[in-house]
Amino acid sequence: MSALPNMGDPNGTPVVHGGDLSAVRQRFPDAPSPWLDLSTGINPMPYPVPDLPPEAWSRLPTREQNDALIAAAARRYGVRDPATIVAAPGTQALIQAIPRLVPRSRVAVVGPTYEEHQVCWRRQGHDVAVVSSLDEAGDAEVVVLVNPDNPTGRLVPVEALPPRPRLLVVDEAFIDLSPSEASLAGRLPPRTVVLRSFGKTYGLAGLRLGFAVANPDLAFSLRDELGPWAVSGPALEIGRTALADDAWLDAASRRLQADRHRLDEILEDAGFTIVGGTLLFCLAEHPEASSMIDRLGRGGLHVRHFPHWPSRMRFGLPGDATAFARLRTALNTR
């Protein structure tokens, strides 16, 4: 199992994520406000939050509410047995919980990718290597694959996945807008856990809601690890309503396709090369990426850049015509 450089430090510097404007504001104190945050892969046009009954806030969540959410998730993700679905307060909670439930193992994370995976496994004492492909996972007992990948958007066909190790973890946080056959959630193989995110596609990351689809024994262990009332009453109600709203998801998919095409055109006009992404973000390359980051920062725009890929930047989607125009102006394109 050949390893790439360690991209995270579980005992030192926190992992850098998109969406935190504090550091970039300090770097560009004279930038115009409000800042335009394009550093995340979150739908900028969120699902309209419905009115909630007062008891969603004042009472502990009930089993019936949780079961209704699970039923909506099972339908949305094509899962036959709702008992294999675990609801959690965000996918991050599951990423942290799973390594606590597995004996110390040799873990291969296909990357570089979302850094919390390697950090959370290493924090629990596992032997972690970041490998560049599934073929390089070798004799790893646990394999972690983000599919589609963040930030490249690479989508590995499910039929290309290798024979199962002790555990295969497939993080499908950005798969909602891909064809249904791209997901493993509805045809879960043995010794596999699939993670599904709610907040990215539905634009409600602050709600903190995510799901694991796992074999019954691991699903039971995850529920036990998360404890009672893991998902808040408001999240149960909003998640159930949104996951059942086919019309909204279809309309959002069409809009995101058009907006992603528009974003690509703006970046290409500014000299970028598009190298990957999903409908929710674009990974682009520029020979003067550092100066581009400064130019955007001075204009009050925040994007993701990667120390291990100095020529690459990840752009989330602008949310409206004004935001698109502001990006175009900051890049000095027509």
Side-chain angles (χ1 to χ4, degrees):
M1 185 167 65
S2 58
L4 295 173
N6 174 25
M7 308 314 301
D9 180 4
N11 300 310
T13 305
V15 174
V16 175
H17 298 289
D20 185 355
L21 287 171
S22 57
V24 72
R25 281 192 179 117
Q26 293 177 11
R27 185 178 173 193
F28 300 101
D30 299 324
S33 294
W35 274 78
L36 177 58
D37 187 3
L38 303 180
S39 68
T40 72
I42 298 169
N43 188 345
M45 299 290 286
Y47 186 82
V49 175
D51 292 333
L52 298 180
E55 54 268 25
W57 301 96
S58 61
R59 297 180 183 175
L60 287 172
T62 67
R63 182 182 299 274
E64 289 76 15
Q65 288 176 303
N66 187 77
D67 290 347
L69 172 69
I70 293 298
R75 175 184 172 275
R76 168 59 53 209
Y77 302 145
V79 176
R80 296 179 182 177
D81 183 4
T84 62
I85 302 181
V86 180
T91 308
Q92 179 63 36
L94 295 162
I95 292 172
Q96 293 176 203
I98 293 171
R100 298 196 293 263
L101 302 176
V102 178
R104 289 192 177 183
S105 305
R106 297 184 302 279
V107 179
V109 178
V110 181
T113 190
Y114 181 61
E115 295 178 29
E116 290 286 349
H117 283 290
Q118 69 195 71
V119 169
C120 291
W121 283 96
R122 188 172 286 115
R123 184 183 295 128
Q124 299 305 318
H126 299 277
D127 179 12
V128 181
V130 179
V131 299
S132 61
S133 69
L134 286 168
D135 292 338
E136 294 185 15
D139 60 353
E141 297 159 306
V142 177
V143 175
V144 180
L145 174 71
V146 180
N147 204 41
D149 181 53
N150 174 19
T152 67
R154 176 212 62 233
L155 183 62
V156 176
V158 292
E159 60 269 17
L161 296 178
R164 305 293 169 249
R166 176 187 294 170
L167 181 67
L168 174 64
V169 180
V170 183
D171 183 346
E172 296 184 346
F174 288 99
I175 211 166
D176 285 345
L177 302 169
S178 299
S180 58
E181 59 268 20
S183 173
L184 276 178
R187 38 180 167 162
L188 192 72
R191 302 187 299 281
T192 301
V193 57
V194 173
L195 305 179
R196 298 291 295 253
S197 173
F198 174 82
K200 295 178 177 61
T201 296
Y202 290 87
L204 296 173
L207 193 69
R208 307 312 302 136
L209 179 62
F211 301 91
V213 185
N215 301 134
D217 55 344
L218 180 55
F220 177 86
S221 297
L222 279 170
R223 290 190 197 96
D224 192 51
E225 181 72 14
L226 293 171
W229 313 298
V231 178
S232 72
L236 291 172
E237 292 293 332
I238 295 169
R240 174 185 60 80
T241 302
L243 288 169
D245 195 337
D246 297 344
W248 182 89
L249 188 62
D250 289 344
S253 178
R254 292 192 297 272
R255 178 184 54 78
L256 290 167
Q257 290 180 40
D259 285 353
R260 173 60 205 274
H261 179 70
R262 188 177 180 183
L263 174 62
D264 288 1
E265 287 185 332
I266 291 173
L267 295 178
E268 288 172 341
D269 284 349
F272 285 86
T273 300
I274 309 303
V275 295
T278 69
L279 287 188
L280 290 173
F281 62 82
C282 172
L283 184 67
E285 198 166 61
H286 196 282
E288 299 178 3
S290 179
S291 64
M292 281 292 180
I293 291 167
D294 287 343
R295 180 184 300 180
L296 291 166
R298 290 193 300 271
L301 282 78
H302 181 30
V303 300
R304 278 298 307 274
H305 65 282
F306 307 94
H308 51 286
W309 283 327
S311 65
R312 294 186 174 184
M313 303 158 63
R314 191 190 69 187
F315 291 79
L317 291 178
D320 55 26
T322 300
F324 273 105
R326 193 170 168 188
L327 173 63
R328 190 183 291 276
T329 299
L331 292 173
N332 290 330
T333 61
R334 67 177 183 275

